[in-house]
Amino acid sequence: MAEADHSPSIVEYFGGEGGYRCGYCKNETGYLSHGMWAHSMTVQDYQDLIDRGWRRSGKYVYKPVMNQTCCPQYTIRCRLLHFQPSKSHKKVLKKMLKFLAKGDASTVAGVEEPMESPREDDVADSFVFTKESDISQSELKPLSVDQTECVETEDNNKEEDMKKEVIVKKMESKPFQTCADQDNAGSGESSDSVKLGHTTPKPGKGADLSKPPCRKAKDIRKERKLQKLLQNQTHTLEGPPSQEDPQVLLFQKSKSKANQPKSIEDFIFALLPADATHQLEVRVVRSSPPSCQFKATFQESYQVYKRYQMAIHKDPPDKPTMSQFTRFLCDSPLEAENPPNGPDCGYGSFHQQYWLDGKMIAVGVIDILPHCVSSVYLYYDPEYTFLSLGVYSALREIAFTRQLHEKASELCYYYMGFYIHSCPKMRYKGQYRPSDLLCPETYVWVPIEQCLPTLEHSKYCRFNQDLEAVDEGCIKELGRVRVLHKRIVMPYDIYKKRRKGPSDEANVQQYASLVGQTCSERMLLFRS
């Protein structure tokens, strides 16, 4: 993604966190991680961080101590351009189509779905709010660009104690884009507000999926279905209209290949009969900064979350508070960015809302980044558990990411959070193939098929088989780490000469080694 004119990321590193209860193996003190509070963050910085094993929960960004924590969590991504649904995936998609067409829950509720495990990472909610920044906003605003200050630095390469002045520019903070600005720009919402079963065929022209096809030749059925699609496809999208809808183009592209297995788009955008019982609509709304559509549906979204937490996670009624919901699933450090070569909805944090006949039944929390869509959390109305919404929403997010790829070619991965092989209920993420796991030592991606044999023998593994390979992004020059101190941006080698009190070099060294050289030179590490 091209460099944009935006404020730098500002983070506050907390160091190693240990002794938390593990949400997977239930070990009371076995979970260990490193953590930092992100006051603001660019989407490129967060993309680079998750490619080094970090993950966010609200504004808290954490990285498990992989070789020490009880249940190592490996970042997993799906190569969505080559993704093909499994038989289990197709069962879930067919189940949804059948429910929408006929509305008989009893005919689909009995279908077993082995992959219907929680998609979210249960661990995050248990420790995310134990550390929260108490820094005032005024301390986080670098001074304006037109003001400069001379700071002294020493040339350590010479024996003489020569001093020279270095002009350190003070950076101007950039205000968040308001909802009004967003709406005026026409890019505040995604173009993925799509209705399933959106087109009502005219009498005598629409295919009645409740009846068997009159002709059974496979190629003839495909040809007729494509013709119907081209004639009747009239669904609308949120945001600016386009001449050719990427959803339709994806469908046409998949149908043009003879004898190819059905794609998820073939199921998701299949035409429903004219007398379909239900209509499903998916809306993508920006959650941070909150768009007008997000604000208008906030209360309904919170009520779905509360019911989900109480029924699925057995939370007591007083635990899923509105404040917790906001901090955990609505607040985000990611800055909204809308580059001309990016997706129409822009980059940042969004809620993907599922509306059944005008009622919100599920919400997927996602981040849209330069190279991927990252799944953060899913919550749904427990009344619709029989629809396997965990799996269905993941497939919808894959289809949505493929749609974004049509506009932003570098956006071609779907990140599913963490894969925990030592926890059987979390292995389902490995069934979205082809997928890769991130090597915890060299930060290269390795196909999951190559990783599974070693994980069977040890819960912590180095996946990179090249024993001489090292972390190419490791910290090489600690002095180049960028620091924000008293609202002045400076390199660490200048800051440590000014610092009073005990040295913090070990803490900064740990931070820089975890975020890598590139991010450490781009992000601002807050120092009081």
Side-chain angles (χ1 to χ4, degrees), residues 373-412:
V373 166
S374 174
S375 177
V376 179
Y377 201 81
L378 172 80
Y379 53 96
Y380 54 84
D381 191 329
E383 181 182 345
Y384 298 93
T385 300
F386 65 89
L387 288 174
S388 302
L389 291 172
V391 177
Y392 181 77
S393 62
L395 297 172
R396 285 296 300 233
E397 288 171 10
I398 290 174
F400 174 56
T401 310
R402 295 213 280 211
Q403 175 191 349
L404 299 181
H405 171 75
E406 294 291 312
K407 175 70 184 295
S409 60
E410 292 185 354
L411 207 162
C412 52

Side-chain angles (χ1 to χ4, degrees), residues 230-244:
L230 297 175
Q231 292 172 5
N232 299 314
Q233 187 79 326
T234 59
H235 70 270
T236 59
L237 304 175
E238 277 185 340
S242 59
Q243 292 182 347
E244 289 187 290

Side-chain angles (χ1 to χ4, degrees), residues 495-508:
Y495 162 76
K496 71 179 181 180
K497 292 180 176 64
R498 293 183 159 199
R499 177 181 171 82
K500 297 178 181 179
S503 172
D504 64 350
E505 186 167 332
N507 181 269
V508 175

Side-chain angles (χ1 to χ4, degrees), residues 265-494:
E265 289 82 9
D266 295 333
F267 292 98
I268 290 173
F269 305 118
L271 296 179
L272 291 176
D275 59 348
T277 305
H278 299 293
Q279 294 290 315
L280 179 66
E281 181 183 5
V282 177
R283 306 175 191 169
V284 176
V285 299
R286 186 178 287 280
S287 56
S288 180
S291 66
C292 296
Q293 292 87 343
F294 177 82
K295 292 177 180 178
T297 57
F298 177 85
Q299 284 292 339
E300 189 167 359
S301 183
Y302 166 62
Q303 292 302 322
V304 174
Y305 167 76
K306 187 171 184 177
R307 290 194 297 271
Y308 172 81
Q309 292 295 123
M310 291 170 60
I312 306 301
H313 291 290
K314 311 302 179 186
D315 285 355
D318 59 340
K319 183 178 179 181
T321 64
M322 189 176 295
S323 173
Q324 185 226 32
F325 169 68
T326 301
R327 291 186 299 169
F328 182 32
L329 296 174
C330 302
D331 289 349
S332 170
L334 300 186
E335 302 279 0
E337 298 179 26
N338 294 275
N341 61 339
D344 292 336
C345 59
Y347 298 107
S349 297
F350 298 82
H351 279 196
Q352 193 168 48
Q353 303 172 338
Y354 295 77
W355 295 81
L356 183 67
D357 303 328
K359 173 187 176 183
M360 186 187 296
I361 65 167
V363 178
V365 182
I366 60 174
D367 292 328
I368 301 178
L369 305 175
H371 298 153
C372 73
V373 166
S374 174
S375 177
V376 179
Y377 201 81
L378 172 80
Y379 53 96
Y380 54 84
D381 191 329
E383 181 182 345
Y384 298 93
T385 300
F386 65 89
L387 288 174
S388 302
L389 291 172
V391 177
Y392 181 77
S393 62
L395 297 172
R396 285 296 300 233
E397 288 171 10
I398 290 174
F400 174 56
T401 310
R402 295 213 280 211
Q403 175 191 349
L404 299 181
H405 171 75
E406 294 291 312
K407 175 70 184 295
S409 60
E410 292 185 354
L411 207 162
C412 52
Y413 296 102
Y414 174 60
Y415 284 48
M416 297 173 280
F418 290 133
Y419 174 83
I420 304 100
H421 192 77
S422 58
C423 179
K425 77 170 185 176
M426 297 303 292
R427 293 184 184 182
Y428 73 95
K429 294 184 181 182
Q431 298 184 37
Y432 294 81
R433 302 287 181 93
S435 58
D436 308 307
L437 297 183
L438 185 67
C439 176
E441 297 182 10
T442 61
Y443 303 112
V444 297
W445 294 98
V446 181
I448 192 170
E449 295 85 355
Q450 298 179 24
C451 304
L452 295 180
T454 54
L455 286 172
E456 286 294 328
H457 294 92
S458 174
K459 62 182 181 180
Y460 172 75
C461 299
R462 171 194 168 107
F463 299 135
N464 192 333
Q465 297 301 307
D466 181 358
L467 299 181
E468 296 183 358
V470 296
D471 171 17
E472 296 294 338
C474 67
I475 183 71
K476 298 177 180 67
E477 297 181 63
L478 188 63
R480 294 173 61 89
V481 173
R482 288 224 293 174
V483 169
L484 177 63
H485 175 58
K486 294 183 178 179
R487 301 181 64 191
I488 301 173
V489 178
M490 63 184 73
Y492 178 69
D493 59 1
I494 303 298

Side-chain angles (χ1 to χ4, degrees), residues 167-191:
I167 303 300
V168 179
K169 292 185 178 180
K170 303 165 190 177
M171 311 198 55
E172 188 176 52
S173 64
K174 180 180 178 182
F176 275 134
Q177 183 181 9
T178 63
C179 183
D181 294 335
Q182 203 169 31
D183 291 343
N184 291 337
S187 59
E189 300 304 320
S190 167
S191 59

